[in-house]
Amino acid sequence: MSTLRIFGNNVEDRMGHLRYLLFYGVCGYASAYGFALTNPSSTTPLIGASGAIAGVLGAYLVLYPRARVWVLVPFLIFLPLRLPAWIVLGLWFVLQAFYSAGQGVSDAGTVAYVAHVVGFAVGMLLAWPLKPGTPPPPEPRGILFGRRARPGW
């Protein structure tokens, strides 16, 4: 849900409330059907909005590829870094595709990685027509690691 809050507000601002709601629903349905088509013998219920949230991430990647986002990078400790969205979301997508192929996990368990991949791809495709004329998202001002920065920082 934090991912939806971080990336969804800019996508919603670009699409408008109603189109964003429709977009979110279409990404959710497409990701669920994508999972069902790739796993026709599965009897596990598909519950959750992760495929729709993956669609929001795909749309953000198309609309704001150069926007810089704060991430915690694990390197001995968690380092807070501000990286371009195309790196963060691109690596996330590659990781989901890797997991959906059954690589890197002993048992996928109850995570529908295929739904994430399908939702992300659908989100990218649906956002592509909106790309021209998309202004960059507003830069956060005066905020340092979630707290108000002192003047002069």
Side-chain angles (χ1 to χ4, degrees):
M1 293 310 289
S2 62
T3 305
L4 180 61
R5 183 163 191 247
I6 292 167
F7 296 102
N9 64 348
N10 291 323
V11 175
E12 182 179 12
D13 288 345
R14 179 63 180 96
M15 292 183 175
H17 302 306
L18 184 58
R19 284 198 304 179
Y20 179 74
L21 179 65
L22 293 172
F23 165 81
Y24 190 83
V26 167
C27 288
Y29 277 114
S31 65
Y33 279 107
F35 176 78
L37 289 173
T38 58
N39 299 293
S41 62
S42 176
T43 58
T44 306
L46 189 60
I47 301 171
S50 61
I53 293 172
V56 172
L57 297 179
Y60 193 92
L61 179 62
V62 167
L63 297 173
Y64 308 109
R66 292 191 178 106
R68 299 178 74 77
V69 295
W70 283 105
V71 293
L72 292 174
V73 177
F75 184 75
L76 300 178
I77 60 171
F78 285 99
L79 299 173
L81 296 176
R82 203 153 179 234
L83 298 174
W86 70 268
I87 291 175
V88 175
L89 299 177
L91 288 175
W92 182 86
F93 177 77
V94 168
L95 187 65
Q96 299 303 301
F98 191 67
Y99 287 164
S100 71
Q103 305 297 315
V105 291
S106 60
D107 183 20
T110 58
V111 178
Y113 292 109
V114 173
H116 298 170
V117 172
V118 171
F120 192 89
V122 169
M124 287 181 70
L125 290 172
L126 292 176
W128 200 265
L130 298 174
K131 185 173 174 55
T134 299
E139 287 290 323
R141 297 199 184 270
I143 299 209
L144 180 66
F145 303 115
R147 295 178 292 188
R148 208 64 44 222
R150 287 186 248 156
W153 278 39

